Structure formats: C-alpha cells, structure tokens
Amino acid sequence: MKIGMIGLGKMGGNMRERLRRAGHEVVGFDLDEQLRDVDSVEAMVEALEAPRVVWVMVPHGKPTRSTVEQLGELLQEGDLIIEGGNSKYTEDRELDALMEPKGIGYVDCGVSGGIWGLDNGYGLMCGGREADVEKAMPVFDALRPEGPREEGFVHAGDVGAGHYAKMVHNGIEYGLMHAYAEGFELLLAKDIVKDVKGCFQAWSRGTVVRSWLLDLLVNALGETPELEGIDEYTTDSGEGRWTVEEAIENAVPMPVISAALFARFASRQENSPAMQAVAALRGQFGGHAVRMLDDEGTRDADQVEVHQGAEPKHAEPGESRPGDGS
C-alpha cells in the first residue's frame, strides 16, 4: 500500500520506517529538509494514487487544523485523512465536518508506544466510519504489535472516539507513573533500604504491579542511579487536563488521575502560593510561627522536614530559605 505521511519527528519518522519494513511505500513530508522525501505537501499528494491515504502526525491544535484544511483543498472524493497526533476529540469532529461534504474520509487514531514503537509496535485506537477504518487496515496492521489484532488495535467508535480513548489512556498513565514515583521516594527515604533499583527490578516478574512503565523506571535508575541531578520540572501535553475536564463533565470521580495532574503543576513552582496561604492561615488561627523566605530560624527538632534522598529548596545566591540547612 502507498501512503503519505506529514510529520516525521520522533514518532512519525519511526512510524514511516516501520511501515516500510512491512513493505508499504511511504511518501513523507516534514518541515525539516533532512527528514522529508518530497519538498511540499502538494508534491506528496501528487505522488499518491487515488484513493489516497494521508497520515497526519503533527502537534495538535493549529498545526493539525491547518494541515487538515490544506489537505482538504488538495485531496479528492474517496481519499482518506488519518489524524494520528494527540488532538482533542472535539477538534476531530470539527475537522470531519469540514471534510465530509467534500467526500474525504476522516479517521482519528490515538497512537501509543513512544520511541519504542518502531520495534515493538504501536497501540492504536481509532475513531471513524467503518468503511474508512477498513480502507486503512493494512496500515494499522503494519503499525500495531504482532499478535492478535484486538490486543493492539481497536476501532473504538465514531469520529473522535479514538482520541478520546487515547486521552483516557494518557490519564491512566499519569496515575500509574505517579504511584511508582511516590513508591520510589518512600523507598529512597528509608535508611534500612539499601537497593532501591533492586526493589523495582524484583517487582518486574510475578507481581501485580509489573508493567512496561515499571521496566522503564528500572532502566532509568540503571542509567541515573537514584535519579540524581534530574530536574523535577514536568510538563503535561494536554490529555491529562482533558481527562479531568471530562471526568467533571460526566460526574466520574477521578481522584488519582487528578492528583497526578496537579502534582505536575506543583513540580513547576519554586515557592507555592497555595502553601504560602496555608502557612499564613496556620499563623492566623493557631498562632504558629510563619517563616519568611529570608528567615534564618530553626525548625522543630522533632519534625522531619526533608528525607535523606530529597534535596531541600534552595535560596537564591546570598539569601537563606527555611529548610535549606543554613
């Protein structure tokens, strides 16, 4: 099968290679001249035979919308667009509404597998009309992991359902990652535990918490013992937020995923305004001492402030901060 692909970054480039290994012909375009096969989207479309299939793998939002709209002017009735990025499901429905009157099919496909997908295959979650999904099935079969189709691919439902499923998948990922992370910190904090990496590695077979994420954490601890020097700053790409928004909209209790999302927000704050307010309120109602950033006083002797594996907050040069050991 011959397919066009727009966006040849870490994911798109590896997906192109996996498709080629399976015998498919891929004509790829990217803004990076070193990555692309043709010099324009127009040239890519011209290189394909009808009915054309084009996979879009660019950042969600304006880049995806402008790319799909451009394809809408270049493709013909009977052609198909697969949106494989991380668009919000509502955007898929809007784009499909633009393509449907032109007779251009639209399938949204959530893709999971990261940089490991080239060799291991990608988990695929599709939304769209049955005929459109079936048209691209040779591509999906080449990209998914080996084994039963239903263990690496799902036609989740109508247009938008694929990215909705991927959104929930990523929300679950947030919660799993943070549970492992909290366990790591507690093991690190306890002085009787001498081999933290070994604990996680021992869980990788036969236990109920074994998973690929656990394997990746073991890898990370092998590369960077105790993760020393890694910045805590953690971004979120949107799906976690959308998952929590959908939980609110549908009255679904989601305390674990919500807490994991908010923990990422906290990782970006040097001095949390919320915790400043908590400290001030304790001073107001209980008469507890309220420390200021430039205080040099001591802490309560019986209270553990920072465990041995953690790094306390640092003051700016020339300043001191409570808990910095000064």
Side-chain angles (χ1 to χ4, degrees):
M1 183 173 179
K2 195 171 186 179
I3 182 174
M5 180 166 284
I6 302 176
L8 302 169
K10 292 180 181 178
M11 288 281 282
N14 280 349
M15 291 168 67
R16 174 178 62 175
E17 176 60 23
R18 186 170 174 87
L19 287 170
R20 286 176 173 171
R21 290 180 184 180
H24 297 286
E25 186 176 352
V26 184
V27 182
F29 173 77
D30 193 276
L31 295 177
D32 188 335
E33 296 179 3
Q34 303 300 314
L35 300 176
R36 65 198 188 196
D37 303 313
V38 292
D39 293 331
S40 67
V41 174
E42 291 83 357
M44 182 204 68
V45 171
E46 290 175 4
L48 303 175
E49 294 92 20
R52 303 168 186 84
V53 177
V54 178
W55 192 301
V56 178
M57 204 69 186
V58 301
H60 69 78
K62 290 182 179 179
T64 290
R65 189 177 189 91
S66 63
T67 301
V68 172
E69 288 177 345
Q70 182 183 10
L71 288 172
E73 299 301 318
L74 298 172
L75 297 178
Q76 300 174 349
E77 183 176 353
D79 292 345
L80 173 65
I81 296 171
I82 304 172
E83 206 297 86
N86 281 326
S87 292
K88 193 172 184 180
Y89 77 98
T90 53
E91 297 169 0
D92 291 314
R93 300 180 72 82
E94 292 171 2
L95 292 173
D96 176 60
L98 295 176
M99 297 302 111
E100 187 178 14
K102 301 173 183 284
I104 299 172
Y106 185 97
V107 170
D108 58 290
C109 185
V111 182
S112 180
I115 60 175
W116 302 82
L118 173 59
D119 295 321
N120 297 340
Y122 300 89
L124 305 174
M125 298 143 269
C126 289
R129 297 167 187 84
E130 188 69 39
D132 291 330
V133 173
E134 190 60 34
K135 183 184 298 184
M137 194 56 71
V139 173
F140 297 141
D141 279 340
L143 289 173
R144 66 175 176 82
E146 294 181 6
R149 179 184 286 173
E150 62 271 18
E151 293 182 6
F153 171 87
V154 63
H155 180 189
D158 300 334
V159 169
H163 280 145
Y164 196 93
K166 179 59 163 46
M167 175 195 75
V168 175
H169 165 281
N170 282 26
I172 293 170
E173 180 183 294
Y174 277 42
L176 290 172
M177 290 171 66
H178 207 76
Y180 287 132
E182 290 180 357
F184 165 74
E185 183 163 356
L186 186 56
L187 288 170
L188 197 66
K190 194 65 175 175
D191 57 1
I192 63 172
V193 178
K194 306 302 182 185
D195 187 357
V196 175
K197 173 180 176 289
C199 291
F200 282 99
Q201 194 160 10
W203 299 344
S204 62
R205 288 181 182 271
T207 76
V208 296
V209 299
R210 65 189 185 276
S211 73
W212 185 47
L213 282 174
L214 179 65
D215 294 340
L216 293 177
L217 181 54
V218 172
N219 288 348
L221 289 168
E223 294 170 359
T224 310
E226 297 188 354
L227 307 184
E228 184 176 358
I230 293 178
D231 195 320
E232 70 169 8
Y233 188 100
T234 307
T235 61
D236 66 286
S237 56
E239 297 93 337
R241 300 185 188 211
W242 303 337
T243 302
V244 173
E245 289 171 1
E246 284 294 310
I248 294 169
E249 181 69 23
N250 291 280
V252 174
M254 202 168 276
V256 172
I257 294 174
S258 300
L261 173 66
F262 296 146
R264 294 196 181 194
F265 296 166
S267 78
R268 306 166 202 167
Q269 297 182 1
E270 175 64 21
N271 192 52
S272 166
M275 295 314 298
Q276 287 178 309
V278 170
L281 285 168
R282 289 184 76 248
Q284 291 292 319
F285 72 71
H288 302 287
V290 178
R291 302 258 177 200
M292 307 304 290
L293 290 177
D294 57 358
D295 282 350
E296 296 186 10
T298 60
R299 295 286 185 160
D300 296 335
D302 295 334
Q303 182 169 318
V304 177
E305 297 294 342
V306 179
H307 66 75
Q308 61 181 2
E311 188 174 355
K313 291 288 187 181
H314 295 289
E316 294 299 318
E319 298 179 348
S320 65
R321 172 169 291 153
D324 66 2
S326 61

